[in-house]
Structures are given as structure tokens and as C-alpha cells.
Amino acid sequence: MLRIAVPNKGSLSEPATTMLSEAGYRTRRSGRELVLVDDANQVELFFLRPRDIAVYVGQGTVHAGVTGRDLLLDSGVEAIEHLPLGFARSTFRFAAPSGTMSSLADVEGKRVATSYDVLVRNYLAAQGVSAQTVHLDGAVESSVQLGVADLIADVVETGSTLRAAGLETFGEPILASEAVLITTEQYRDEPGLATLVRRLEGVLRARSYVLVDYDIPMNRLHLASEITPGIESPTVSPLQNPDWVAVRAMVPRKDANRIMDELYAIGARAILVSSLVACRL
Ligand SMILES: Nc1ncnc2c1ncn2[C@@H]1O[C@H](COP(=O)(O)OP(=O)(O)OP(=O)(O)O)[C@@H](O)[C@H]1O
Ligand SMILES: O=P(O)(O)OC[C@H]1O[C@H](OP(=O)(O)OP(=O)(O)O)[C@H](O)[C@@H]1O
Ligand SMILES: [Mg+2]
């Protein structure tokens, strides 16, 4: 059976569970379940703390796991990113009280509060900057005001937590992070893993496309097919009115509204957009 580690709490847990569910795997009935056997898919799911998942994968006790790129690098574990999963996107940044620091040189000799000590220490060493890291488990933004650090290094999504704490980012991002499926060289060719990756890719692709259905006069079909060429080719079906046809095609989600406008402009009507759960292209 393929053994997969899944985050049991925090920002990664819910989107990871949703993605696995959309890929056809069983989900937990309660948050207290720590192991779940999915016989139909020949997979065993282990629900673990996100920060520990890289350790379990690195030790080979599970074949693969879902964690964050930043957590993987902070773990110092020899594991490999097998598939970026497109959620929990964030940057990892230095931040200091507004106007006090503007470049990496300002970090020299300072105290940096972070929950990701290994990640920060490795980055500072690589940049040739000597500074002290102060480990905090979370709510790192309060550390400067309370005097335990001169600046922080933390996850930034919208930046609202930093602004609320009177901090501003400076310097280049240390890292761009997102949720990733990780494995090891030992297991990267595990048969069940290829199926898992194919299914997750199917969910990711389905999320980036939508299905467009519309009716179009037959004499405009050539124009419509240029707007919605589909993947191989649009599906065209006859309507009761012989002068009209119904068309169905996959289009990139980000282009859906522009495409609807263009279709309407050439005479398409009953233009419908629907989401996809999974696909194989
Ligand atoms: N606001 C956020 N936006 C995007 N990703 C985030 C955010 N906060 C944490 N993450 C990501 O979640 C992972 C950290 O998960 P973890 O569960 O350890 O902390 P958490 O999600 O902040 O949960 P908690 O704060 O409850 O411990 C990292 O990969 C981090 O990049
Ligand atoms: O840029 P933003 O959109 O404000 O998001 C970033 C914040 O989100 C996370 O905090 P979380 O709420 O997980 O609390 P924690 O710091 O205690 O983990 C992270 O640690 C940052 O503080
Ligand atoms: Mg957090």
C-alpha cells in the first residue's frame, strides 16, 4: 500500500484534504483520526503535524507527503519536491519596524526572530551575513515590539499581519513557498506514487480550466471555434433548429470572462460556464 503523510492542522490541512478528496481518495470522518486506510485506492493516509511530515518522508517511513516548501527546507531533510500543489502560496521575507532597515546589510549583527531557524541560518550563511536567530513558535511579529529581536523572518501572504505590527518587508524574498508533494529518491518510482501524481495533476489542471457551453448560428461556428478551440477540438452538437448548433469546449479559467464577451459579440447565446473537478488531458 502507498503510505502518504497529510497535514492534520494549520493552513495546509484543509486544502490538502480537499485536493486528495477531489483526486478520489478517502477523507477523515473526524479530526481525531490519525491513520486512514483507503482500500479502494490501496493507500494508507497518515495525518501528521505539517512540520513533522518532511521528517517522516526523509526517514522513508512513508512514501510521500504534503508539506510546505519552507517547512521542507527548514527541516534540513534530504527529500525531493515531486509536485508543486498550487496552494498555501506565500513568500518568506525579512521585516523590520518601518523605516529602520532597507537591505540585507542592515541584518548584520542583529537578532532575527523566526519559526524557521534552519531556513534563515542557511540563507544568512549563503549570503555571508552574520546574525543571531531567535526561535519563536509563532506570532513572530510581536517579537520586535517586545524587545526579543531587532527584526523578523516569516511567512508573508497578504502582508496584513506585518502592517498591523508596524513592520515592513525589506530586501529580496528569502523564498517563494507553496504546498508541495515530497518524496525521496528511494521511492520516487514507487508505482502507486505515479498514480497519485497523475490524479493530483488532473485536479490541478481541472482547477485551471472551466467548461464553456453555448449555442451559435451555424454560419458563425468557424468564428466561435477560433475563440474556443478546446483541447483537441470543440464538441459541436446539432440543435432542433437546424440553423444553430451547441458547442462545448474547455477554456483556461483566467480567460473565461473575456471569452464569454467575445462569444456574445459574435452572436453566441445561452453561454454557460461550469467548473471541473478532475480531468486527464
Ligand atoms: N498566511 C499564510 N498564507 C499562506 N501560507 C501560509 C500562511 N501561514 C502559514 N502558511 C504556510 O503553512 C505552512 C505552515 O503550516 P503550520 O501548520 O506549521 O503553520 P500554520 O499554517 O501557520 O498553522 P498554525 O499557525 O495553526 O500553526 C507553511 O508552509 C507556511 O508557508
Ligand atoms: O501576510 P498575511 O496574510 O498576514 O499572512 C501571514 C501570516 O500568517 C501566518 O500566521 P498564522 O496566522 O498562521 O499565525 P502564526 O504566525 O502563529 O503561525 C504567518 O505566520 C504570518 O504571520
Ligand atoms: Mg501559523
Side-chain angles (χ1 to χ4, degrees), residues 210 212 227 251-264 271 273:
V210 290
V212 176
I227 298 170
V251 303
R253 176 181 296 274
K254 62 182 173 47
D255 301 337
N257 280 292
R258 172 182 59 75
I259 285 170
M260 290 171 82
D261 296 342
E262 290 178 11
L263 288 172
Y264 190 85
I271 307 170
V273 171

Side-chain angles (χ1 to χ4, degrees), residues 16-30:
T17 299
T18 300
M19 180 171 274
L20 286 166
S21 173
E22 289 174 0
Y25 296 99
R26 281 188 60 205
T27 56
R28 295 192 285 180
R29 284 179 303 277
S30 96

Side-chain angles (χ1 to χ4, degrees), residues 89-96 98 141 152 154-170:
R89 285 199 171 105
S90 63
T91 55
F92 196 79
R93 307 291 304 261
F94 286 118
S98 302
E141 297 77 10
I152 73 169
D154 198 17
V155 171
V156 181
E157 186 188 9
T158 63
S160 56
T161 307
L162 287 178
R163 282 188 292 279
L167 303 177
E168 67 179 6
T169 59
F170 66 90

Side-chain angles (χ1 to χ4, degrees), residues 111-113 132 134 136 140 142-151:
R111 298 168 301 164
V112 186
Q132 175 197 350
V134 176
L136 296 171
V140 173
S142 308
S143 60
V144 177
Q145 184 185 352
L146 294 175
V148 300
D150 306 301
L151 70 145

Side-chain angles (χ1 to χ4, degrees), residues 181-196:
L181 180 74
I182 63 172
T183 185
T184 50
E185 287 299 338
Q186 174 190 2
Y187 287 129
R188 69 181 312 158
D189 300 321
E190 186 73 17
L193 185 55
T195 303
L196 170 66

Side-chain angles (χ1 to χ4, degrees), residues 30-97:
S30 96
R32 305 309 302 171
E33 269 183 287
L34 295 181
V35 183
L36 179 61
V37 176
D38 181 343
D39 275 318
N41 292 303
Q42 282 299 290
V43 160
E44 215 167 359
L45 299 157
F46 296 87
F47 294 88
L48 302 164
R49 287 306 304 270
R51 194 166 272 283
D52 297 340
I53 286 177
V55 176
Y56 287 91
V57 172
Q59 295 276 341
T61 52
V62 294
H63 296 107
V66 175
T67 187
R69 179 175 296 134
D70 48 8
L71 291 175
L72 169 62
L73 293 174
D74 191 56
S75 72
V77 160
E78 280 297 310
I80 48 181
E81 277 192 34
H82 207 37
L83 180 69
L85 297 176
F87 62 86
R89 285 199 171 105
S90 63
T91 55
F92 196 79
R93 307 291 304 261
F94 286 118

